[in-house]
Amino acid sequence: MKLLFVADPLETFKTHKDSTFAMMREAARRGHTLMACEPKDLRWQRGEPVTGFVRDITLTGRPGNGHSGDWFEAAQQAPHERPQALRDVDAVLMRKDPPFDPEYFYATHLLSQAEREGARVFNKPSALREHPEKLAILEFPQFIGPTLVTRDAADVKRFHAEHGDIILKPLDGMGGMGIFRVGPDGMNLGSITETLNQGGATTLMVQKYLPEIVHGDKRVLVIGGKPVPYCLARIPQGSEIRGNLAAGGKGVAQPLSERDREIAETLGPILVARGLLLVGLDVIGSHLTEINVTSPTCFAEITDQTGFDVPAMYVDALEAALR
């Protein structure tokens, strides 16, 4: 198969932990052909199909450290050397990391046009648009803790008075960015609210603090509608409240709990039917906190610590979806 990865610059990949690289390596092992481009390399012109200016790549087996391209060799020095109609590859894998900003949004519309022309895109562009990673949990209230979505400061103050210990976060954050905890004393609640809601102009999410975070913010991967049997518990370190690996959390792989499996097995069939081949559920204690659909990670950590081959499960699901 010919696979096109729409991703961040290849030279920035840290291959020891990059899930997109793990997918590429497994696909290459099976003999599939690899291409890559960035969202900025996509274009459409009337009378022509959606095109990506791509690089044809092969893997070298050498490591990459996020500062070089040692891990791959490209037939083209720059993507503009070779245009590729998206409808003429077997699968387009949208793996651009957040944030889900206007340019990401526009890229999904180009990918939707490519679908109308016959391309197969994973995850489905319309599903990426319909499942913002913080707000997608609202559809499944039976699995979430006390949660408020608002831009109103008085509403936030009322929620704090009701629950005492709360977490505030922006809707467009990633890697733990912009997450605040306010305890029962309410210290700095007003200032934090003003910072996040920009004086009432921006919507934010407020959730009751879950003390189970000390045991980890669990990433549960769901591939082809089925859960990976192990999750990665991202455990906050020191005085941090954030377990995100990007915020210094320690990743510890562990078997799914009964509750983890219940959540994953309930959501999995629903989400895969919408075109979400790969989903990362975030679970703290027994509560679902996020549904990650843009470029879920943790393939390498789970595989390295447990021996369960997450990339193989993913490529199996991709091949099955293309039959």
Side-chain angles (χ1 to χ4, degrees):
M1 295 191 303
K2 296 179 180 179
L3 306 180
L4 171 58
F5 290 82
V6 181
D8 290 294
L10 300 178
E11 290 80 4
T12 67
F13 281 29
K14 296 178 174 63
T15 56
H16 68 284
K17 64 177 184 177
D18 192 283
S19 294
T20 303
F21 169 75
M23 296 173 183
M24 289 178 171
R25 184 172 57 186
E26 176 61 21
R29 189 188 68 79
R30 301 186 188 200
H32 300 315
T33 300
L34 307 180
M35 292 168 269
C37 72
E38 298 174 47
K40 68 182 179 63
D41 300 317
L42 300 175
R43 71 183 292 273
W44 176 86
Q45 182 171 316
R46 192 180 70 169
E48 300 177 8
V50 175
T51 299
F53 288 90
V54 308
R55 288 192 285 179
D56 299 285
I57 64 171
T58 56
L59 307 187
T60 65
R62 297 190 294 269
N65 60 8
H67 302 289
S68 70
D70 289 348
W71 62 272
F72 73 95
E73 292 179 349
Q76 300 82 20
Q77 289 299 312
H80 65 256
E81 296 178 17
R82 189 172 87 75
Q84 170 66 62
L86 271 59
R87 67 187 182 189
D88 294 334
V89 303
D90 294 291
V92 179
L93 284 68
M94 179 52 159
R95 290 290 301 172
K96 173 70 177 69
D97 284 344
F100 195 109
D101 57 15
E103 288 302 324
Y104 191 109
F105 179 74
Y106 304 147
T108 68
H109 279 286
L110 287 173
L111 293 173
S112 286
Q113 174 61 23
E115 282 187 318
R116 288 188 285 269
E117 297 164 357
R120 301 291 301 278
V121 184
F122 304 91
N123 283 330
K124 190 175 180 66
S126 59
L128 292 175
R129 293 193 295 272
E130 287 295 317
H131 295 81
E133 299 188 330
K134 302 290 192 298
L135 294 176
I137 64 171
L138 274 58
E139 184 180 354
F140 306 101
Q142 70 271 35
F143 294 126
I144 70 176
T147 299
L148 168 70
V149 178
T150 186
R151 65 169 70 178
D152 185 81
D155 217 9
V156 174
K157 187 174 182 179
R158 177 199 56 76
F159 188 87
H160 175 262
E162 180 180 356
H163 296 289
D165 199 349
I166 63 173
I167 294 291
L168 302 93
K169 55 188 176 182
L171 296 181
D172 60 353
M174 59 172 288
M177 180 185 67
I179 293 178
F180 294 90
R181 178 184 178 185
V182 175
D185 61 5
M187 187 69 69
N188 288 327
L189 177 60
S191 178
I192 291 169
T193 302
E194 290 169 8
T195 298
L196 293 179
N197 79 345
Q198 299 182 43
T202 303
T203 302
L204 70 153
M205 176 173 280
V206 192
Q207 294 175 305
K208 181 180 179 180
Y209 173 73
L210 300 173
E212 296 92 338
I213 184 62
V214 298
H215 302 299
D217 179 357
K218 294 176 285 186
R219 168 58 56 84
V220 179
L221 293 171
V222 182
I223 298 174
K226 299 177 181 179
V228 172
Y230 298 90
C231 65
L232 191 75
R234 298 160 297 173
I235 302 171
Q237 301 296 294
S239 60
E240 268 289 354
I241 61 166
R242 301 171 298 173
N244 309 74
L245 300 183
K250 179 182 179 181
V252 178
Q254 58 190 41
L256 298 187
S257 69
E258 289 187 14
R259 179 64 166 179
D260 297 338
R261 190 171 293 277
E262 177 190 6
I263 294 171
E265 290 181 346
T266 300
L267 272 61
I270 297 170
L271 299 177
V272 74
R274 297 174 182 173
L276 294 168
L277 185 70
L278 171 62
V279 174
L281 307 177
D282 288 351
V283 179
I284 298 176
S286 61
H287 295 100
L288 175 69
T289 60
E290 289 188 19
I291 300 175
N292 295 271
V293 300
T294 51
S295 59
T297 61
C298 300
F299 279 37
E301 293 89 347
I302 292 172
T303 299
D304 291 345
Q305 293 185 37
T306 70
F308 182 86
D309 198 332
V310 181
M313 182 176 174
Y314 177 79
V315 179
D316 283 345
L318 176 64
E319 291 173 340
L322 292 170
R323 291 191 189 112

